[in-house]
Amino acid sequence: MANTRTRSTNVTVGNQDVALLKSVTTGRGPISDLAVDGDTVVTTNFGDDSVAVLGADTLALRGGIVAGQPTAVAVVGDRAFAAVSSASYDAVVVIDTTSGDVLKEYALSFNVTAIATSVDGKRVYAGRAGEEGVDVAVIDVHAERVGTIFVTKDADATIDALCLDATGRRLYVGVSDSRSSRLLTVDVETARVRRALEIGAPIRGLALGMDSTAYVLTSDIAHGGVLYVVDLVANHITADVSVAATPTQMVLSQDGARAYVVDYDHVAVVDVEHRTVVGEVSVGARPSAIALSDERLFVADYDGGVTTYTVAATAPMLYAPFVDALPAPRELEPAV
């Protein structure tokens, strides 16, 4: 992996709430995913068969790890969890983001398409597709063992996105197949699917708000990119908005007021409350992945670049102890 280098791009920002900070090239593209936590950014460089660890403030390269062909990644504290594949096996690797060492590999039977972690990093959830359907591998990092949550037996299904709620009790799974897509609610303790909500077009992204609301991004030829607002308590769609032409990923601001959607050649800035696109961000290359930490937005692209922006908060944030004290959503009824 080559050192990062500052690059000159035609970065433009069509929204006053977003301001360019820095843009660098990490190596050969494309970057398939990136994640950020605190002062650490981790990218999976699909074209370079490597994982790169960057400093969030400077985007300086801290280290590169060759770990097979990486796809999805999550980072918590000083640990990164990357899904990798090779000719012989698929696995989730645990990486020390300080030293760059691979601490552990969990070999898995099937290809991992999405990954999520608990807030403390003690559990990793890996959505995977096999010959007879899809499931979620549950990795207990402390006990170093792997369990399984069976999701569906549809042979052509894929898991497009995973989100774990703040309580760690419910896992939300976006599943698409050749006929439709749906949002599943999984009880983590019982490892059972409790609810299913039909969405329609293939799912491209999933995010959770603070008020029992989910945001589901879809895309197909007929309707382009659509962002659905879902009431998780009532288990129904409350609103939808056209946001892009061919979106591939999204991230939600901490206050839930903005969604940032990766489209073919830009990032769309969506005002969630007013259901409208309020700006566009161009990074000088085709964007491929996106992440958000505090008030900084990180965008990776197909040329191996990473660009960071400041993002103005649109509403005061709740103080963390009060957020933790909010009641959990009431218990869900089993899906019919």
Side-chain angles (χ1 to χ4, degrees):
M1 171 73 71
N3 290 333
T4 58
R5 61 184 185 275
T6 301
R7 62 177 185 169
S8 175
T9 71
N10 60 339
V11 175
T12 59
V13 180
N15 184 277
Q16 62 182 2
D17 295 333
V18 184
L20 173 67
L21 281 178
K22 193 175 183 61
S23 186
V24 301
T25 298
T26 63
R28 286 194 297 120
I31 294 175
S32 54
D33 199 12
L34 86 163
V36 58
D37 186 36
D39 64 349
T40 301
V41 176
V42 180
T43 69
T44 53
N45 197 327
F46 191 82
D48 204 27
D49 289 349
S50 65
V51 178
V53 180
L54 313 174
D57 291 331
T58 63
L59 296 184
L61 183 67
R62 293 180 180 172
I65 302 97
V66 177
Q69 198 168 64
T71 52
V73 65
V75 58
V76 180
D78 60 356
R79 296 289 184 271
F81 305 92
V84 299
S85 62
S86 67
S88 57
Y89 75 102
D90 297 289
V92 170
V93 297
V94 184
I95 299 167
D96 185 321
T97 58
T98 302
S99 66
D101 295 332
V102 175
L103 303 178
K104 183 75 176 179
E105 288 191 9
Y106 295 92
L108 301 177
S109 300
F110 305 115
N111 181 43
V112 174
T113 57
I115 195 166
T117 69
S118 60
V119 293
D120 58 8
K122 293 182 179 180
R123 282 192 174 186
V124 180
Y125 300 86
R128 54 187 182 173
E131 296 177 354
E132 298 181 356
V134 295
D135 61 30
V136 177
V138 184
I139 301 172
D140 186 322
V141 177
H142 180 72
E144 296 188 345
R145 61 188 180 191
V146 181
T148 303
I149 299 174
F150 295 98
V151 175
T152 177
K153 295 182 179 180
D154 297 339
D156 62 346
T158 59
I159 293 178
D160 307 289
L162 295 172
C163 278
L164 188 68
D165 75 353
T167 69
R169 294 168 52 193
R170 293 178 179 85
L171 182 69
Y172 296 94
V173 185
V175 177
S176 301
D177 57 35
S178 59
R179 297 170 298 281
S180 185
S181 67
R182 52 204 178 275
L183 177 65
L184 306 181
T185 303
V186 175
D187 185 316
V188 171
E189 296 304 319
T190 62
R192 292 182 59 191
V193 176
R194 302 300 301 272
R195 278 187 171 183
L197 176 64
E198 193 79 8
I199 301 296
I203 294 173
R204 308 303 183 189
L206 173 63
L208 301 180
M210 296 188 298
D211 54 353
S212 298
T213 300
Y215 300 88
V216 183
L217 178 68
T218 68
S219 176
D220 64 6
I221 296 176
H223 302 98
V226 178
L227 182 64
Y228 291 93
V229 183
V230 177
D231 183 330
L232 294 173
V233 176
N235 197 44
H236 74 265
I237 296 171
T238 61
D240 63 80
V241 55
S242 296
V243 295
T246 54
T248 55
Q249 271 197 16
M250 67 165 288
V251 67
L252 187 71
S253 65
Q254 290 182 326
D255 57 17
R258 293 283 189 269
Y260 300 91
V261 178
V262 175
D263 201 358
Y264 176 79
D265 59 357
H266 68 276
V267 174
V269 184
V270 183
D271 183 324
V272 174
E273 179 182 0
H274 296 95
R275 317 283 193 250
T276 184
V277 176
V278 295
E280 293 185 358
V281 179
S282 172
V283 297
R286 283 186 59 192
S288 59
I290 196 167
L292 185 67
S293 176
D294 298 324
E295 295 181 5
R296 286 179 296 179
L297 182 70
F298 298 84
V299 182
D301 60 54
Y302 282 87
D303 289 347
V306 177
T307 305
T308 181
Y309 306 86
T310 57
V311 180
T314 55
M317 290 298 297
L318 292 176
Y319 184 57
F322 292 102
V323 174
D324 295 338
L326 291 176
R330 60 180 181 267
E331 190 60 35
L332 302 174
E333 297 297 328
V336 293

